[in-house]
């Protein structure tokens, strides 16, 4: 009897251990089932960024917009169906999220080397990591094993992704709700600092005309209220931005401005220094340095870029851990735009 219950207990423990290990992401998840995965993704991402550097920023943002809506499950990539309206048309994504065709290209390349094995959710995670590295940032080991959702939710996207009008408390509480700290918030928001590094690199290497190599961009409609109505903004910076973003709603809504300010001759220019100088483009950016609890983090990063780099990588890994589907949940989509 005792012997039997010991056996039972052992089996139970085994089930618990195996069950939890299959439900966890790991860096070697596809090492047997798709050994060429990482090089395949990287070459497609590289050629997309060679064609258009901004695509690196766009792919990174897709991963963020996927993970903040019911977890990193590829739901963002689904087109409308008769049973749901997709997330592509939600407010934070409409006329703004881009790179879906590049994701399709990556998926086809991956299907060619190992068909039906790799999820679209994992492709987003790898493409985001590769983009940061190709744009001159650091790299990290990306955790894999996510599966794809069979549904998407426009309303969850509207509610889940913070708008640029958010104040600091709203940003912190949304990040906290997903297991991310205020420090993660600041580090993740600071990616343009990484991208700035690369912009300088690109300009030096290719010596092309300045404006053609800006990386992350925002539309006038995302920052109009800030540049005309806010007082915690550097006035010459506001004037510069006003030149290509008219006051009247309805005109110039899609005019683009770089998320970081353009002074390609200066090397000490970065996102955090801009914030300290009241030169954040989005209201939500400047909230990170506006007399509140994250001021010290911003100041720390502005003085110590290497602490920013390591915090950024660990925050990306944490973001990638948000509620993945694993094990037998969800599916491995054949086409990222459609459920199987
Ligand atoms: C903290 C809250 C955040 C808010 C309120 C926010 C808001 C925005 C807005 C409004 C834009 C411009 C969109 C447009 O006008 O079309 C933008 C662009 C961008 N965001 Fe965020 N964002 C946040 C956090 C993040 C995070 C965590 C990441 C990634 C780790 C990220 C990555 C990007 C990138 C790369 C772009 C430029 C995309 C492109 O040029 O295609 N953002 N963001
Ligand atoms: C998806 O559905 C929404 C709501 O009906 C619509 O506004 C949008 O244009 C559709 N998108 C596509 C690509 O068909
Ligand atoms: C600035 O604020 C005023 C008063 O609240 C408002 O009427 C106006 O539309 C705002 N302008 C912009 C560009 O947001």
């Amino acid at each position: 009897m005792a012997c039997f219950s010991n056996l039972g207990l052992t089996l139970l423990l085994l089930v618990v251990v195996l069950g939890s290990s299959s439900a966890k992401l790991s860096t070697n998840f596809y090492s047997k089932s798709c050994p060429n995965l990482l090089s395949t993704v990287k070459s497609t991402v590289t050629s997309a960024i060679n064609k258009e550097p901004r695509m690196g920023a766009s792919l990174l943002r897709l991963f963020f917009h996927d993970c903040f809506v019911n977890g990193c499950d590829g739901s963002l990539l689904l087109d409308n169906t008769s049973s749901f309206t997709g997330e592509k048309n939600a407010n934070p994504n409409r006329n703004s999220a881009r790179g879906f065709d590049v994701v399709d290209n990556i998926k086809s390349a991956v299907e060619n080397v190992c068909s039906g094995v790799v999820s679209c959710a994992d492709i987003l995670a790898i493409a985001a990591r590769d983009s940061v590295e190709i744009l001159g940032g650091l790299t990290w080991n990306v955790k894999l094993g996510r599966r794809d959702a069979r549904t998407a939710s426009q309303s969850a996207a509207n509610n889940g992704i913070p708008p640029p009008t958010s104040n600091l408390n709203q940003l912190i509480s949304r990040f906290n709700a997903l297991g991310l700290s205020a420090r993660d918030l600041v580090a993740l928001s600071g990616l343009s600092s990484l991208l700035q590094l690369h912009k300088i690199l690109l300009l030096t290497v290719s010596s092309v005309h300045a404006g053609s190599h800006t990386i992350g961009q925002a539309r006038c409609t995302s920052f109009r209220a800030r540049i005309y109505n806010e007082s915690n903004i550097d006035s010459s910076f506001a004037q510069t931005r006003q030149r290509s973003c008219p006051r009247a709603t309805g005109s110039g809504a899609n005019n683009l401005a770089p998320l970081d300010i353009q002074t390609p001759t200066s090397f000490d220019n970065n996102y955090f220094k801009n914030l300290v100088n009241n030169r954040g483009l989005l209201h939500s950016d400047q909230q990170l340095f506006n007399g509140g609890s994250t001021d010290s983090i911003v100041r720390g990063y502005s003085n110590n870029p290497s602490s920013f780099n390591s915090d950024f990588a660990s925050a990306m890994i944490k973001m990638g851990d948000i509620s993945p589907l694993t094990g037998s949940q969800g599916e491995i989509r054949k086409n990222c735009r459609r459920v199987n």
Side-chain angles (χ1 to χ4, degrees):
M1 181 64 199
C3 177
F4 177 78
S5 74
N6 272 347
L7 185 67
L9 195 68
T10 310
L11 284 176
L12 186 75
L13 278 176
L14 204 66
V15 167
V16 169
V17 168
L18 289 177
S20 66
S21 71
S22 75
K24 262 186 96 192
L25 305 180
S26 65
T27 53
N28 60 0
F29 189 83
Y30 297 107
S31 55
K32 294 226 169 64
S33 57
C34 193
N36 293 327
L37 171 62
L38 297 179
S39 57
T40 305
V41 174
K42 189 155 200 181
S43 69
T44 313
V45 174
T46 303
S47 60
I49 294 178
N50 284 343
K51 245 187 247 160
E52 188 207 11
R54 184 184 172 197
M55 189 50 69
S58 306
L59 290 171
L60 173 59
R61 187 167 183 239
L62 288 185
F63 184 51
F64 164 52
H65 283 205
D66 185 35
C67 291
F68 266 55
V69 183
N70 293 324
C72 312
D73 62 356
S75 59
L76 168 66
L77 304 173
L78 290 171
D79 287 339
N80 289 344
T81 67
S82 51
S83 56
F84 61 79
T85 304
E87 296 167 19
K88 294 177 182 177
N89 222 59
N91 299 326
N93 296 328
R94 193 184 326 116
N95 298 325
S96 181
R98 57 201 293 284
F100 296 108
D101 47 342
V102 173
V103 175
D104 291 339
N105 292 342
I106 302 171
K107 177 66 170 172
S108 323
V110 169
E111 288 294 301
N112 280 341
V113 294
C114 28
S115 162
V117 169
V118 181
S119 67
C120 298
D122 279 343
I123 284 176
L124 282 181
I126 303 167
R129 189 272 307 261
D130 289 351
S131 294
V132 171
E133 188 187 8
I134 295 165
L135 292 176
L138 73 178
T139 189
W140 59 92
N141 291 327
V142 68
K143 294 210 266 175
L144 300 168
R146 301 169 190 81
R147 292 170 62 87
D148 295 322
R150 291 202 178 92
T151 186
S153 166
Q154 187 181 39
S155 63
N158 281 329
N159 298 325
I161 302 165
T165 49
S166 307
N167 65 32
L168 184 59
N169 286 337
Q170 292 167 323
L171 292 173
I172 290 178
S173 67
R174 182 62 192 143
F175 275 65
N176 283 348
L178 298 171
L180 300 171
S181 65
R183 202 172 180 82
D184 296 325
L185 161 68
V186 177
L188 287 171
S189 303
L191 72 151
S192 25
S193 161
L194 282 175
L195 304 182
Q196 178 71 21
L197 281 176
H198 189 73
K199 188 166 69 187
I200 291 162
L201 207 73
L202 279 174
L203 287 168
T204 323
V205 173
S206 59
S207 72
V208 237
H209 186 263
S212 63
H213 277 123
T214 49
I215 308 291
Q217 306 206 327
R219 292 161 305 147
C220 168
T221 185
S222 301
F223 56 84
R224 178 184 276 131
R226 167 152 173 78
I227 61 174
Y228 286 101
N229 269 353
E230 296 189 354
S231 55
N232 60 349
I233 188 167
D234 174 80
S235 61
S236 79
F237 172 65
Q239 276 164 21
T240 307
R241 287 291 158 257
Q242 286 168 6
R243 267 182 241 132
S244 53
C245 179
R247 180 189 293 266
T249 326
S251 57
N254 292 325
N255 292 357
L256 293 173
L259 282 164
D260 49 15
I261 73 166
Q262 274 184 294
T263 50
T265 49
S266 148
F267 274 72
D268 67 349
N269 162 284
N270 72 35
Y271 179 81
F272 299 109
K273 288 203 168 124
N274 288 339
L275 294 186
V276 169
N277 292 313
N278 284 335
R279 290 166 166 221
L281 181 61
L282 304 175
H283 172 85
S284 50
D285 287 331
Q286 197 60 57
Q287 283 293 299
L288 305 178
F289 190 87
N290 191 38
S293 60
T294 48
D295 280 20
S296 57
I297 305 174
V298 170
R299 219 183 266 288
Y301 289 155
S302 79
N303 292 327
N304 185 353
S306 67
S307 77
F308 161 67
N309 278 351
S310 57
D311 284 0
F312 176 77
S314 68
M316 284 296 293
I317 293 169
K318 266 168 96 175
M319 184 168 84
D321 278 340
I322 299 174
S323 329
L325 299 174
T326 55
S328 59
Q329 298 170 314
E331 63 180 17
I332 302 298
R333 250 177 248 154
K334 289 188 166 61
N335 174 333
C336 293
R337 293 174 183 266
R338 285 188 281 282
V339 297
N340 292 341

